[in-house]
Amino acid sequence: QVQLVESGGGLVQAGGSLRLSCAASERITNSYHTGWFRQSPGREREFVAALTAIGARTYYADSVKDRFAISRDTDKNTVYLLMNSLTPEDTAVYSCAAMTRGTVYYSQAYDSWGQGPQVTVSS
């Protein structure tokens, strides 16, 4: 099972940007679909974005579309989530995840998870 280590969380003002990183312990291109999910207190974990193993197709939740961008660096085995125009509603613990097959929108399909950095957006 691939190991995932995230970094890049923190505190940012509304309207600002942050980039999260998710470093994988092995090659992810052509091997693993990767996704980002988030969870805030009192709410269920929700899908944010995903990137397919082959072809690098991207998928986004409506709430982040046109503001967030998922990408990967093949040489570094790292997936990124660039978050722009952040609002307090984006405050959550963000987790990256990986799977070899399944529906990218469903957290239950993912086999490996990172520890989840906190992202806090102040108004």
Side-chain angles (χ1 to χ4, degrees):
Q1 218 174 35
V2 62
Q3 305 298 312
L4 304 171
V5 178
E6 297 145 336
S7 60
L11 174 66
V12 64
Q13 288 189 329
S17 299
L18 275 178
R19 189 180 77 163
L20 303 181
S21 301
C22 176
S25 59
E26 58 188 81
R27 182 177 179 82
I28 52 176
T29 301
N30 296 332
S31 299
Y32 293 93
H33 304 311
T34 51
W36 287 94
F37 290 79
R38 67 185 182 185
Q39 188 170 19
S40 53
R43 300 182 65 176
E44 293 188 357
R45 177 182 285 167
E46 64 173 342
F47 169 78
V48 176
L51 186 70
T52 61
I54 299 173
R57 292 191 302 274
T58 58
Y59 300 86
Y60 296 96
D62 289 341
S63 58
V64 306
K65 200 171 184 180
D66 298 327
R67 298 190 298 124
F68 289 14
I70 187 170
S71 62
R72 70 182 172 212
D73 185 321
T74 297
D75 293 335
K76 295 182 179 179
N77 293 328
T78 298
V79 177
Y80 303 98
L81 183 68
L82 176 61
M83 305 182 291
N84 297 315
S85 302
L86 286 161
T87 73
E89 288 68 39
D90 295 315
T91 295
V93 173
Y94 284 72
S95 301
C96 70
M99 64 174 173
T100 55
R101 58 188 300 175
T103 303
V104 299
Y105 298 105
Y106 300 132
S107 61
Q108 298 91 329
Y110 291 82
D111 305 308
S112 301
W113 289 85
Q115 79 280 9
Q118 173 72 43
V119 172
T120 302
V121 185
S122 63
S123 58

